Amino acid sequence: MALLLWLGLSLLVAVRSSAVKNCHPGCHCEVESFGLFDSFSLTRVDCRGLGPSASMPIPIPLDTAHLDLSSNAMGPLSDTMLAGPGYTTLISLDLSNNHITKVSPNALSKLRYLETLDLSHNHLEHLSSSCFSGLPLAEVDLSHNSFQEFDMDLFTAKVNGEPVSVDLSHNKIVSVLASLHGRVLHIQSLNLSANQLSSAPSLAGLPLRYLNLDGNPITQIKAGAFAQLKDLVYLSISGLHELQQIEPYSFKGLQSLQVLDLSNNPKLKNLSLKVFSGLDSLQELNLSASGVTSLPTNMLTHLPSIRSITLAQNIQCWRTQKQGQFHRQMGQVHHNEVLTCNVEGILL
Ligand SMILES: *[C@@H]1O[C@H](CO)[C@@H](O)[C@H](O)[C@H]1NC(C)=O
Ligand SMILES: *[C@@H]1O[C@H](CO)[C@@H](O)[C@H](O)[C@H]1NC(C)=O
Ligand SMILES: *[C@@H]1O[C@H](CO)[C@@H](O)[C@H](O)[C@H]1NC(C)=O
């Protein structure tokens, strides 16, 4: 019986790969088949490093799902470079290391099924949210670019980059909804690490779950900086050598946040209790190799879900119950819980 089950399962999940005949010279094309009798297949095309003479769009098989175009010195992305047959079925696209300075507004518009886009290691300074609109993009990697600011705030309507006020009077609601609908973005994971950002990005309206701001020259996080990101689970603000201050209520609104990485911020010395306000789901706080050596007293009252706090390199603290106090009062459940660290003399 177990053997039959095992056979059945392996028939279902087994991946068979075979090469594709009509593949562009220099590319490597592979069909991966899955399922019983190979009922599903995905074509994966690798056209890395073809050299600057490669002319875009590179012809790819008609049903390609994954395409790697990294390291091709593509330069500015025009409306036609990704518009060939086969591009409409792409689920993931790697455009990293391509000297991309600009993405024209319709460059990605044919990629109707695109979920994952890697634009890391390019020279982007600006990106209009309209170049992603209408795509089912869930994951965007923009790390190692040149963004000095980043604004994808979907709540502020913009025309030609200028904010406009939305007039809801006189029954214009239908057209307002239609125009908002066209701007809906589905991005859940956004990587902005290693850019030139001097302040936290405006991302209101994105259903983000993962956000990485590591290694940016941000000096200060302002109150309410992430106020609209109620779905965010993981926030990394690590390796910011200029970060000196996190204002009270900076993380307010991050009701789903479970992991906050503030490690490797050597100039960050001081965190007030109110910095942690609103972090009701936070389980893990990493302050390793930051300038913060002590934590505000009563911190646990603000962090009802916290499990672990990492302070200096090897100092780890956990939530524990004070022994011998079983008498809890309603509404004061956390009263007899304390943080215990693996090093003595930590001021908490
Ligand atoms: C974000 O980018 C950095 C730098 O490229 C990388 O180390 C990190 O793994 C990326 N995060 C994710 C989730 O891909
Ligand atoms: C740390 O914060 C407290 C209260 O917010 C303030 O009184 C104190 O001056 C700060 N210390 C430094 C070194 O910034
Ligand atoms: C905290 O951050 C440091 C440095 O980035 C990392 O090495 C360590 O694994 C992290 N600790 C936890 C508990 O995540």
Side-chain angles (χ1 to χ4, degrees):
M1 180 64 200
L3 181 69
L4 274 180
L5 193 65
W6 179 82
L7 267 176
L9 279 176
S10 52
L11 274 175
L12 277 175
V13 298
V15 177
R16 286 197 325 114
S17 285
S18 59
V20 177
K21 271 176 256 155
N22 297 321
C23 191
H24 186 74
C27 298
H28 180 82
C29 306
E30 222 174 295
V31 180
E32 292 175 355
S33 309
F34 315 75
L36 206 52
F37 312 117
D38 295 340
S39 37
F40 308 99
S41 67
L42 286 176
T43 304
R44 187 179 290 278
V45 178
D46 179 351
C47 300
R48 269 177 290 174
L50 294 180
S53 56
S55 74
M56 305 283 164
I58 307 235
I60 54 174
L62 273 183
D63 55 349
T64 303
H66 303 285
L67 175 61
D68 186 346
L69 283 175
S70 62
S71 306
N72 280 314
M74 291 168 81
L77 273 193
S78 72
D79 286 352
T80 54
M81 287 164 102
L82 302 168
Y87 286 75
T88 27
T89 50
L90 289 180
I91 295 169
S92 81
L93 175 61
D94 187 344
L95 295 173
S96 62
N97 282 297
N98 266 307
H99 310 304
I100 297 173
T101 48
K102 269 190 191 141
V103 177
S104 80
N106 294 315
L108 306 168
S109 62
K110 304 284 192 311
L111 312 178
R112 279 182 288 141
Y113 298 101
L114 195 68
E115 290 173 13
T116 305
L117 176 62
D118 188 346
L119 277 167
S120 67
H121 296 272
N122 280 297
H123 307 306
L124 288 170
E125 290 178 30
H126 299 284
L127 203 55
S128 155
S129 61
S130 64
C131 73
F132 294 151
S133 65
L135 307 181
L137 263 184
E139 202 175 318
V140 180
D141 190 343
L142 293 170
S143 64
H144 294 273
N145 273 282
S146 311
F147 291 100
Q148 293 182 11
E149 50 182 45
F150 194 85
D151 186 350
M152 233 170 230
D153 187 334
L154 301 182
F155 289 164
T156 329
K158 293 198 191 74
V159 172
N160 300 325
E162 295 301 317
V164 293
S165 63
V166 179
D167 184 359
L168 288 176
S169 58
H170 306 110
N171 297 321
K172 287 184 188 160
I173 290 172
V174 173
S175 67
V176 169
L177 282 180
S179 74
L180 282 178
H181 187 72
R183 296 162 54 82
V184 166
L185 295 183
H186 308 275
I187 300 172
Q188 295 189 7
S189 165
L190 180 61
N191 198 338
L192 282 168
S193 80
N195 275 279
Q196 298 302 321
L197 298 178
S198 55
S199 59
S202 310
L203 302 166
L206 293 188
L208 280 185
R209 296 172 61 80
Y210 171 94
L211 176 61
N212 189 326
L213 299 175
D214 294 357
N216 277 285
I218 298 174
T219 53
Q220 186 192 39
I221 307 274
K222 294 219 162 76
F226 306 101
Q228 316 281 351
L229 301 181
K230 62 180 173 40
D231 301 314
L232 199 66
V233 173
Y234 190 108
L235 176 59
S236 193
I237 310 181
S238 166
L240 277 62
H241 297 288
E242 303 306 321
L243 183 65
Q244 295 191 8
Q245 200 202 0
I246 299 183
E247 285 187 356
Y249 306 112
S250 280
F251 302 122
K252 202 157 174 70
L254 293 177
Q255 62 198 49
S256 308
L257 197 71
Q258 292 179 14
V259 179
L260 177 57
D261 189 345
L262 291 173
S263 64
N264 296 311
N265 296 323
K267 287 193 183 161
L268 183 66
K269 309 266 187 233
N270 218 353
L271 290 177
S272 82
L273 188 60
K274 289 174 186 144
V275 165
F276 301 101
S277 173
L279 292 176
D280 292 349
S281 307
L282 194 70
Q283 298 182 5
E284 225 178 286
L285 173 63
N286 194 342
L287 285 161
S288 138
S290 73
V292 178
T293 49
S294 70
L295 292 171
T297 45
N298 284 331
M299 189 158 145
L300 286 185
T301 55
H302 277 58
L303 298 175
S305 310
I306 198 79
R307 290 188 190 158
S308 128
I309 298 177
T310 310
L311 270 177
Q313 225 73 47
N314 284 311
I315 305 177
Q316 186 90 34
C317 306
W318 307 268
R319 172 199 293 280
T320 48
Q321 296 278 328
K322 246 186 200 164
Q323 283 190 350
Q325 293 184 12
F326 300 107
H327 197 79
R328 290 188 182 184
Q329 286 179 340
M330 292 292 284
Q332 293 192 332
V333 243
H334 304 297
H335 199 65
N336 47 11
E337 289 178 330
V338 289
L339 273 185
T340 309
C341 306
N342 62 355
V343 172
E344 300 221 352
I346 300 290
L347 186 62
L348 290 173

